[in-house]
Amino acid sequence: MDQILSLAATNLLSPIILSFALGLAAALARSDLSVPEAAAKALSIYLLFAIGFKGGVSVSAHGIDAKLGLTLVAGIVLSAVLPLIAFALLNVMTSLSRLDAAAVAAHYGSISIVTFVAATSVLESSGIASEGYMVAVAAAMEAPAILSALWLISRGGGNGQRMDSDLWREILLNGSIVLLVGSFFIGWATGEKGLEEISSFIVAPFKGVLCLFLLDMGLVAGRGLRERSDVLQPGVLAFGILMPVVGSLCGLGAGLLLGLSSGGVALMMVLSASASYIAVPAAMRVALPEANPSIYLTLSLGVTFPFNLTLGIPLYVALATAMTGA
């Protein structure tokens, strides 16, 4: 418990978390502070490229082995199964329609890359090593959750024509996935030499850019909470906090079975606990246009994201280090 409280205190007082808190507070106070949309997009492009590139370099140094392959498979299975758990919890805890519950569930099987980045920063500041190929696992966990959500709808008599070319294009060619995977392969191909050439661009400025991006995320989350508070019924709100804990425990079990390092187990927990607010909402607009976006966006970005960022990550890191004996 002392370790969890210490990590939480350190995390809450980090520039990354305080930047998010500033944006959240400014939005709730109705300040006119804003980040231009073009600038916010540029920040996200930078972060995705840097994350993918550094992950590819790590895999180049590590090499491809059975553990990497098994970890990728585990990530895909978790992404496909977690929406089923989320859907069952939503049916018990809320009165959402099957359509809205399936759309929400898809977000909780996919991942939040910003939560993943924040967790890697916490691990680095704590001196805890992790497997560099976890960024590849993050990319692999984007799409299966969407397919699980569509399967849930089809079981309820939903439209069977949803898996068309537009949806597959949205799933496989979503900009964030393309950039993350593409930069990963660039880093893999160029290795340490490539990283050395552009380290002044993707290493030194990284945390500063992350602070600005999280300032914008705080503004977006605050506006969502202010404008869509009507969707946060007690059961829905409780789900937004309970589901990441349930997901993290599934990730903990998978990480321990795979024999990952304490940092790798923590990142597997973070990936399993996070909720998408970029790739999946875009896919849901194509696949389930009748679903209410105010529900799944407010839950993933306004409830689960702040929970993971402030309290969840320290809890997951502490559990991972305790269970691995680190």
Side-chain angles (χ1 to χ4, degrees):
M1 181 57 71
D2 289 342
Q3 183 185 14
I4 295 174
L5 293 175
S6 175
L7 276 170
T10 303
N11 194 40
L12 288 170
L13 294 176
S14 70
I16 294 171
I17 303 302
L18 292 176
S19 297
F20 177 82
L22 172 60
L24 186 67
L28 293 175
R30 300 181 183 273
S31 167
D32 63 356
L33 175 64
S34 65
V35 176
E37 184 177 349
K41 187 170 184 179
L43 293 173
S44 66
I45 288 173
Y46 170 86
L47 290 173
L48 286 168
F49 181 85
I51 296 161
F53 190 93
K54 289 188 285 187
V57 171
S58 296
V59 169
S60 175
H62 176 274
I64 298 177
D65 57 17
K67 182 179 282 191
L68 187 155
L70 289 173
T71 307
L72 284 171
V73 171
I76 292 170
V77 171
L78 282 169
S79 180
V81 171
L82 286 172
L84 308 183
I85 299 173
F87 186 77
L89 285 175
L90 286 164
N91 282 335
V92 172
M93 301 174 66
T94 74
S95 57
L96 294 179
S97 68
R98 186 180 187 90
L99 185 70
D100 285 330
V104 170
H107 291 69
Y108 285 83
S110 189
I111 61 101
S112 160
I113 196 66
V114 180
T115 308
F116 176 82
V117 175
T120 59
S121 297
V122 171
L123 291 174
E124 288 174 7
S125 63
S126 302
I128 302 174
S130 63
E131 287 79 1
Y133 55 73
M134 291 304 294
V135 67
V137 180
M141 290 179 71
E142 288 275 18
I146 300 170
L147 303 179
S148 292
L150 297 182
W151 178 78
L152 287 168
I153 288 297
S154 68
R155 279 177 53 87
N159 184 358
Q161 304 298 316
R162 297 179 189 276
M163 292 304 296
D164 56 15
S165 59
D166 289 338
L167 177 58
W168 280 113
R169 188 179 303 110
E170 188 64 52
I171 293 174
L172 299 177
L173 297 179
N174 180 277
S176 61
I177 297 177
V178 170
L179 182 55
L180 188 64
V181 174
S183 60
F184 176 87
F185 279 110
I186 293 174
W188 186 13
T190 58
E192 293 286 349
K193 183 179 179 182
L195 179 62
E196 184 178 345
E197 290 179 6
I198 61 171
S199 62
S200 60
F201 172 68
I202 68 168
V203 177
F206 185 82
K207 288 189 177 181
V209 174
L210 182 58
C211 286
L212 291 178
F213 185 78
L214 282 173
L215 171 68
D216 182 55
M217 287 292 97
L219 290 167
V220 174
R223 294 187 195 112
L225 287 172
R226 194 182 69 214
E227 297 167 3
R228 302 165 184 167
S229 58
D230 57 310
V231 306
L232 294 181
Q233 303 300 322
V236 176
L237 181 61
F239 169 83
I241 296 173
L242 175 62
M243 185 58 205
V245 175
V246 173
S248 71
L249 293 177
C250 295
L252 174 63
L256 293 175
L257 285 174
L258 290 165
L260 298 178
S261 67
S262 56
V265 172
L267 290 180
M268 184 67 85
M269 293 176 72
V270 168
L271 289 173
S272 301
S274 60
S276 173
Y277 51 81
I278 299 175
V280 175
M284 289 298 102
R285 285 198 298 269
V286 176
L288 302 175
E290 306 93 341
N292 186 351
S294 65
I295 298 174
Y296 54 71
L297 280 174
T298 303
L299 260 180
S300 61
L301 186 56
V303 179
T304 299
F305 181 64
F307 170 78
N308 277 330
L309 209 59
T310 55
L311 300 176
I313 291 174
L315 174 63
Y316 310 147
V317 172
L319 279 176
T321 53
M323 295 299 293
T324 55

